[in-house]
Amino acid sequence: MKLLVLNGVNLNLTGKREQGVYGGETLEEINRELEAFVEGKGHSVDFVQSNFEGEICTQIQRAEGVYDGIVLNAGAFTHYSYAIRDAIASVSVPVVEVHMSNVQAREEFRHKSVFTEVCKGEILGFGKYSYILALESFLL
Ligand code: DQA
């Protein structure tokens, strides 16, 4: 299995912004832990973060034929990006949507994901373990 962890807007600030919501570990630290988890099971994982909506679309398009699955935390793009939604629908690579926070317990605008219908599944509310659980779902 070759997996891609794709993080969107503001996720590069993880560990620095809103630590009460997203924790104190940096994205780099979390990614190293995810890498050890996946490699420990004999699989491989790549990591991409971008603050640009179009770049997230490009990464999803490029994943076709390269990756067996994508773990996507698109950040706030989740709630309104039809462009990313259409990119997900355009590839056969399965995508699992993740959120570190429980978006259903937060502001109303976070309750809606425009990706839900085109994703394999959704995991939210478990901090960095949301990523681990999503990765695990591909490795079962
Ligand atoms: C987030 C939740 C989003 O609503 C928010 O905009 C983020 C992070 C999460 O991981 O909990 O940037 O995707």
Side-chain angles (χ1 to χ4, degrees):
M1 279 272 177
K2 193 168 156 58
L3 303 173
L4 174 65
V5 174
L6 184 54
N7 278 290
V9 62
N10 295 319
L11 272 300
N12 56 308
L13 296 180
T14 304
K16 301 176 191 101
R17 70 162 175 161
E18 299 183 83
Q19 292 189 12
V21 179
Y22 302 117
E25 278 183 275
T26 66
L27 189 63
E28 185 60 26
E29 288 167 341
I30 291 170
N31 285 350
R32 294 291 71 81
E33 200 171 321
L34 303 183
E35 186 174 53
F37 173 76
V38 173
E39 289 183 356
K41 288 178 174 278
H43 302 279
S44 75
V45 58
D46 291 332
F47 300 91
V48 174
Q49 187 276 330
S50 177
N51 288 325
F52 298 94
E53 184 181 17
E55 179 60 21
I56 300 294
C57 296
T58 297
Q59 291 294 332
I60 293 167
Q61 291 175 17
R62 284 190 185 148
E64 185 74 52
V66 177
Y67 293 102
D68 300 300
I70 300 173
V71 171
L72 173 66
N73 185 352
F77 291 144
T78 305
H79 311 302
Y80 63 88
S81 175
Y82 298 119
I84 295 174
R85 185 235 180 258
D86 284 353
I88 297 168
S90 300
V91 296
S92 62
V93 190
V95 175
V96 172
E97 176 185 340
V98 307
H99 300 286
M100 284 190 280
S101 65
N102 179 358
V103 286
Q104 296 301 329
R106 299 181 64 194
E107 302 94 325
E108 196 162 350
F109 76 89
R110 298 185 203 276
H111 296 183
K112 172 74 182 167
S113 164
V114 298
F115 305 158
T116 308
E117 294 160 1
V118 292
C119 282
K120 187 179 177 206
E122 186 183 11
I123 296 171
L124 48 97
F126 299 103
K128 67 182 174 186
Y129 297 103
S130 291
Y131 293 99
I132 296 266
L133 292 167
L135 289 164
E136 178 76 26
S137 76
F138 286 115
L139 304 178
L140 290 173

